[in-house]
Amino acid sequence: MGDGARFCSNCGTVIGGAPEAAPALEPLAYTLHGSNLQIAQIHLKSGQELYAEAGKMVYKTANVQWDTRMTGNTLGEKLLGALRRTFTGESLFVTYFRAMGDGEVGFSGSYPGKIQVFDLQPGQAVMAQRDAFLCAQPTVQLTVALVKKLGAGFFGGEGFILEKLVGPGQVFIHAGGDFIEFELQAGQTIQVDTGCIVAFDESVDYDIQFVGGIKTAIFGGEGLFLATLTGPGKIIVQSMTLQKMRRELAPGRSGGDEHQPFGSLGNILGSED
């Protein structure tokens, strides 16, 4: 190539030029309405798209087209995705929404609770409880993650399966009651009632530990085990779980301790995981 050449004569590549950056992903414009029965009101510009858990839509404008299908580009990816979604307690299909002109669509959870929005960077991942996924931009990958430790799977209240959400893009999740967030420093630990964890950063170590003593475990009303999370990273805790709400609404409930003695062991035998 001659001096001063800007392009390769064979392939046309720019000589010494930096690779073009990927176009920036335009964030979604949204509003969260309500307190404990929240609705996510998402404003879509023409051509913007998102996908959602089947059955979570509340309303949409007429110019927002929808299409229910399996995720993935090939048959193998579709079948694998359907198998993964079955493990997480989600439906086999997701619904895609695409705006043909400026439009709007609303989503909500299936029981009283809050909606949390994550703005994930490329490669950034967050772990969420089963059945938490609400909707996301199409660039967000929804996969299955297994808990790393055997004890956490048996006694964690959520089983071995978690949802893993990988950026880039915005993702909306739903869980029960009100939320409180903790930003853990490296090595900092917090203990949480099992089943009350909504989501946590992938960098957070998650394990289950036996409570202080047999008397506390049996008569303390808090069960046998606590979830132990160690930073660095952010965690989100919920005040009400679906399991608690079902228990309180069960016919013939007569009150008493929050957890029955050895209730966690009974949960193992009756676990769906």
Side-chain angles (χ1 to χ4, degrees):
M1 293 178 291
D3 294 338
R6 295 185 55 213
F7 302 93
C8 175
S9 59
N10 292 326
C11 65
T13 302
V14 179
I15 299 174
E20 294 185 3
L25 181 65
E26 185 174 7
L28 297 171
Y30 67 90
T31 306
L32 300 181
H33 293 277
S35 54
N36 289 113
L37 293 165
Q38 287 190 316
I39 293 179
Q41 181 185 32
I42 302 177
H43 309 278
L44 298 176
K45 295 182 180 180
S46 181
Q48 275 193 315
E49 188 178 37
L50 57 79
Y51 70 99
E53 174 66 17
K56 302 298 185 181
M57 188 201 75
V58 178
Y59 71 93
K60 72 177 186 68
T61 55
N63 62 343
V64 175
Q65 295 183 349
W66 59 349
D67 179 29
T68 299
R69 59 182 185 265
M70 291 183 179
T71 58
N73 297 320
T74 65
L75 178 60
E77 290 179 353
K78 293 180 187 293
L79 294 177
L80 182 59
L83 182 62
R84 288 173 174 172
R85 291 178 59 78
T86 301
F87 284 146
T88 61
E90 308 281 10
S91 61
L92 294 178
F93 299 88
V94 294
T95 305
Y96 282 80
F97 297 84
R98 183 177 179 84
M100 310 304 292
D102 292 350
E104 188 175 295
V105 59
F107 301 97
S108 71
S110 302
Y111 55 95
K114 292 280 190 178
I115 295 173
Q116 179 72 30
V117 185
F118 296 98
D119 192 356
L120 301 176
Q121 301 303 310
Q124 182 183 0
V126 64
M127 316 293 286
Q129 68 176 9
R130 294 180 56 183
D131 199 29
F133 176 72
L134 197 62
C135 62
Q137 289 182 286
T139 51
V140 174
Q141 298 180 14
L142 172 60
T143 60
V144 171
L146 301 178
V147 296
K148 298 178 181 179
K149 299 184 179 180
L150 188 64
F154 275 118
F155 307 115
E158 298 295 338
F160 287 97
I161 306 298
L162 295 171
E163 292 181 344
K164 184 177 181 179
L165 302 153
V166 184
Q170 288 171 299
V171 57
F172 297 68
I173 67 171
H174 173 271
D178 287 310
F179 293 168
I180 183 170
E181 297 184 9
F182 298 92
E183 189 70 40
L184 301 180
Q185 303 302 314
Q188 185 180 1
T189 297
I190 188 171
Q191 294 180 317
V192 183
D193 184 19
T194 57
C196 286
I197 302 170
V198 176
F200 53 92
D201 289 338
E202 190 178 22
S203 58
V204 174
D205 182 69
Y206 171 59
D207 195 11
I208 299 297
Q209 293 184 354
F210 184 72
V211 295
I214 296 295
K215 183 173 66 174
T216 301
I218 296 177
F219 303 109
E222 300 298 338
L224 291 170
F225 302 92
L226 290 175
T228 301
L229 300 106
T230 304
K234 182 173 73 173
I235 69 169
I236 301 175
V237 176
Q238 62 186 344
S239 62
M240 173 61 71
T241 67
L242 186 57
Q243 182 182 9
K244 286 182 180 179
M245 187 166 60
R246 286 171 174 166
R247 184 171 61 244
E248 293 297 329
L249 296 176
R253 173 166 173 79
S254 58
D257 290 341
E258 182 70 25
H259 297 271
Q260 295 298 325
F262 303 106
S264 296
L265 297 179
N267 289 339
I268 300 174
L269 301 178
S271 175
E272 295 180 358
D273 294 328

Coordinates of all heavy atoms in Angstrom, one line a residue, residues 193 215-224 247 256-261:
D193 N -34.2 -13.0 56.6 CA -35.2 -14.1 56.6 C -35.2 -14.8 55.2 O -35.3 -14.2 54.2 CB -36.6 -13.6 57.0 CG -37.6 -14.7 57.1 OD1 -37.2 -15.8 57.3 OD2 -38.8 -14.3 57.0
K215 N -33.0 -23.6 70.9 CA -34.1 -22.9 71.5 C -34.6 -21.7 70.6 O -35.8 -21.5 70.5 CB -33.7 -22.4 72.9 CG -34.8 -21.7 73.6 CD -34.5 -21.4 75.1 CE -33.4 -20.4 75.1 NZ -33.1 -19.9 76.5
T216 N -33.6 -20.9 70.1 CA -34.0 -19.8 69.2 C -34.7 -20.3 68.0 O -35.6 -19.7 67.5 CB -32.7 -19.0 68.9 OG1 -32.1 -18.5 70.0 CG2 -33.1 -17.8 68.0
A217 N -34.1 -21.4 67.4 CA -34.7 -21.9 66.2 C -36.1 -22.4 66.4 O -37.0 -22.2 65.5 CB -33.8 -23.1 65.7
I218 N -36.4 -23.1 67.5 CA -37.7 -23.7 67.7 C -38.7 -22.7 68.3 O -39.9 -22.6 67.8 CB -37.6 -24.9 68.7 CG1 -36.7 -26.0 68.1 CG2 -39.0 -25.4 69.0 CD1 -36.5 -27.2 69.0
F219 N -38.3 -21.8 69.2 CA -39.3 -20.9 69.9 C -39.1 -19.5 69.5 O -39.9 -18.6 69.9 CB -39.1 -21.1 71.4 CG -39.3 -22.4 71.9 CD1 -38.2 -23.2 72.4 CD2 -40.6 -23.0 71.9 CE1 -38.4 -24.5 72.8 CE2 -40.7 -24.3 72.4 CZ -39.6 -25.1 72.8
G220 N -38.2 -19.1 68.7 CA -38.0 -17.7 68.3 C -38.9 -17.2 67.2 O -39.0 -16.0 67.0
G221 N -39.7 -18.1 66.6 CA -40.6 -17.7 65.6 C -40.0 -17.3 64.3 O -40.7 -16.7 63.4
E222 N -38.7 -17.6 64.0 CA -38.1 -17.1 62.8 C -37.5 -18.3 62.0 O -36.8 -18.1 61.1 CB -36.9 -16.1 63.1 CG -37.4 -14.9 63.9 CD -38.4 -14.1 63.0 OE1 -38.4 -14.2 61.8 OE2 -39.1 -13.3 63.6
G223 N -37.8 -19.5 62.4 CA -37.4 -20.7 61.6 C -36.0 -21.1 62.0 O -35.3 -20.6 62.9
L224 N -35.5 -22.1 61.3 CA -34.2 -22.7 61.6 C -33.0 -22.0 60.8 O -31.9 -22.1 61.3 CB -34.2 -24.1 61.2 CG -35.1 -25.1 62.0 CD1 -35.2 -26.4 61.4 CD2 -34.5 -25.2 63.4
R247 N -50.1 -18.2 53.4 CA -50.2 -18.8 54.7 C -51.3 -18.0 55.6 O -52.1 -18.6 56.3 CB -48.9 -18.9 55.5 CG -49.0 -19.6 56.8 CD -47.6 -19.9 57.4 NE -46.8 -18.6 57.6 CZ -45.7 -18.3 57.0 NH1 -45.2 -19.1 56.1 NH2 -45.1 -17.2 57.2
G256 N -50.2 -17.7 65.7 CA -49.1 -18.4 66.2 C -47.8 -17.8 65.7 O -47.7 -16.8 65.1
D257 N -46.7 -18.6 65.8 CA -45.4 -18.2 65.4 C -45.4 -18.0 63.9 O -46.1 -18.6 63.1 CB -44.4 -19.3 65.7 CG -44.1 -19.3 67.2 OD1 -44.5 -18.3 67.9 OD2 -43.6 -20.3 67.7
E258 N -44.5 -17.1 63.4 CA -44.3 -16.9 62.0 C -43.9 -18.1 61.3 O -44.3 -18.4 60.2 CB -43.3 -15.8 61.8 CG -43.0 -15.4 60.4 CD -44.2 -14.6 59.8 OE1 -45.0 -14.1 60.6 OE2 -44.4 -14.7 58.6
H259 N -43.0 -18.9 61.9 CA -42.5 -20.2 61.4 C -42.8 -21.2 62.4 O -42.5 -21.1 63.6 CB -41.0 -20.1 61.1 CG -40.6 -19.1 60.1 ND1 -40.6 -19.4 58.7 CD2 -40.3 -17.8 60.2 CE1 -40.2 -18.4 58.1 NE2 -40.0 -17.4 58.9
Q260 N -43.4 -22.3 62.0 CA -43.6 -23.4 62.9 C -42.3 -24.1 63.1 O -41.4 -24.1 62.3 CB -44.6 -24.4 62.3 CG -46.0 -23.8 62.1 CD -46.7 -23.4 63.4 OE1 -46.4 -24.1 64.4 NE2 -47.4 -22.4 63.4
P261 N -42.1 -24.7 64.3 CA -40.9 -25.5 64.6 C -40.6 -26.5 63.5 O -41.5 -27.2 63.1 CB -41.1 -26.1 65.9 CG -42.1 -25.2 66.6 CD -43.0 -24.7 65.5

